[in-house]
Amino acid sequence: MYESVKTIQDIRDEHIDVLRDFGVKVTSQIVRTIETKTTEIAIENYCRILIIKRLEQEE
């Protein structure tokens, strides 16, 4: 079902690469912000998956 699983670090690194490609000086604050937001999104997505699985079980 899934092609690959990316870690938060993989996603962080991809975002940093894009920012650097656009000439952005990536500071430690930017890195922390990316990690925080990526973690929040991952948690939200995981919760959605759990909710969907639960609803499917109730059917």
Side-chain angles (χ1 to χ4, degrees):
M1 186 163 133
Y2 299 103
E3 288 183 22
S4 65
V5 175
K6 292 183 181 179
T7 65
I8 290 172
Q9 291 77 17
D10 293 336
I11 297 168
R12 176 201 63 204
D13 293 345
E14 289 174 1
H15 283 77
I16 290 170
D17 289 344
V18 170
L19 290 172
R20 286 186 176 141
D21 288 346
F22 282 96
V24 175
K25 182 176 185 274
V26 179
T27 63
S28 59
Q29 180 61 41
I30 291 173
V31 171
R32 282 193 301 274
T33 300
I34 291 169
E35 288 173 343
T36 299
K37 290 297 181 185
T38 304
T39 301
E40 289 172 358
I41 292 167
I43 291 168
E44 289 171 4
N45 288 340
Y46 182 69
C47 289
R48 285 187 184 105
I49 290 168
L50 292 176
I51 290 168
I52 290 168
K53 286 184 181 280
R54 179 153 237 191
L55 289 172
E56 287 173 347
Q57 289 175 350
E58 290 177 1
E59 290 180 351

